[in-house]
Amino acid sequence: MELINNFFVVEDAVTNRFCNHVLEYGNYLKEQIGTTAGFDEKTLTEYDKEQLEKTRKSKIIWMKDRWIYNEIQPVVHQVNRAAGWNYNWVLTEPVQFTKYEGSQKQHYDWHTDSGTDIDENGHIRKISASLMLVDDDKYEGGDFQVCIPKPNGNKIINIKLKSKGTMVFFPSYVWHRVIPVTKGTRYSLVCWNKGFPFK
């Protein structure tokens, strides 16, 4: 699918107050291991964990609070138009508070957010977004990268998300990763916006 914009960055997409509120809320809740398809946190063996961490190593918390959706969804609508995507989407999944710790070189290797799976309502992920909850002077490494059209020798674009409140948006089928955080802690809030399959 040819795109005018493979990704779209908005600085000051939300307020610092909102970011601080999400960060405080996330640090209050119980975290779990971030997993990928084929891994269940409840049944992970040590071998499974070793295999998982080759691709993904992070801690997460799921949130589905209305006050979070109220802040983020209007920005998704604006960016969907501004980026020229104009995708039909109808709902936002529970959002993911994600924590990457530099002391453990946490990361998430190349992946897309949408597969061929259609959920029970006939929806797929269409627009993904990641909100930075802290300024980049709080951590080192952890750059967000996209690859067009896919990894292994194609064009890699490094997107340095410098300030709290910055959001990066991209179609959910775009390949992306977070390179290892080497110092400090990177906090973000990730959301996926779903609709009926592309025609």
Side-chain angles (χ1 to χ4, degrees):
M1 192 178 297
E2 286 290 326
L3 295 175
I4 298 172
N5 293 291
N6 292 292
F7 63 91
F8 200 92
V9 177
V10 180
E11 295 183 1
D12 300 317
V14 298
T15 64
N16 280 354
R17 181 179 179 183
F18 174 77
C19 293
N20 292 340
H21 193 178
V22 172
L23 188 61
E24 182 179 358
Y25 182 42
N27 281 322
Y28 170 77
L29 299 174
K30 181 177 174 58
E31 62 188 23
Q32 63 189 72
I33 295 171
T35 59
T36 61
F39 293 97
D40 182 347
E41 193 220 4
K42 295 175 184 175
T43 59
L44 279 181
T45 65
E46 282 304 310
Y47 175 78
D48 289 338
K49 191 174 178 183
E50 287 177 12
Q51 295 306 303
L52 171 64
E53 289 180 352
K54 292 177 182 178
T55 300
R56 182 179 193 183
K57 189 175 184 182
S58 62
K59 296 290 180 67
I60 66 168
I61 293 164
W62 295 105
M63 300 175 175
K64 49 184 177 181
D65 303 79
R66 176 48 52 190
W67 61 271
I68 296 177
Y69 293 142
N70 288 345
E71 190 80 18
I72 290 176
Q73 287 178 330
V75 189
V76 178
H77 282 296
Q78 292 167 12
V79 168
N80 189 29
R81 291 191 298 271
W85 300 328
N86 297 309
Y87 295 156
N88 291 317
W89 65 278
V90 295
L91 62 88
T92 304
E93 287 185 49
V95 297
Q96 181 182 276
F97 177 88
T98 312
K99 177 181 177 182
Y100 295 95
E101 294 186 77
S103 61
Q104 298 182 44
K105 305 295 186 287
Q106 293 186 329
H107 68 285
Y108 197 164
D109 206 359
W110 290 116
H111 65 286
T112 65
D113 293 335
S114 63
T116 56
D117 293 340
I118 298 175
D119 72 13
E120 64 277 8
N121 298 309
H123 298 145
I124 63 168
R125 289 175 172 175
K126 288 189 163 182
I127 303 171
S128 298
S130 183
L131 165 66
M132 299 312 302
L133 296 173
V134 294
D135 291 322
D136 74 343
D137 61 1
K138 302 296 184 186
Y139 62 93
E140 293 179 6
D143 290 357
F144 181 87
Q145 297 181 333
V146 298
C147 192
I148 311 300
K150 58 185 178 180
N152 301 324
N154 290 285
K155 184 178 180 182
I156 295 175
I157 303 168
N158 194 67
I159 306 169
K160 190 75 169 173
L161 304 172
K162 295 185 176 181
S163 58
K164 177 182 358 183
T166 299
M167 291 186 78
V168 58
F169 298 81
F170 51 96
S172 298
Y173 54 81
V174 169
W175 286 88
H176 58 285
R177 69 178 175 185
V178 175
I179 66 172
V181 175
T182 57
K183 185 177 180 181
T185 305
R186 180 190 192 273
Y187 293 94
S188 61
L189 190 71
V190 181
C191 74
W192 304 275
N193 305 280
K194 305 176 82 169
F196 292 106
F198 296 107
K199 294 181 179 179

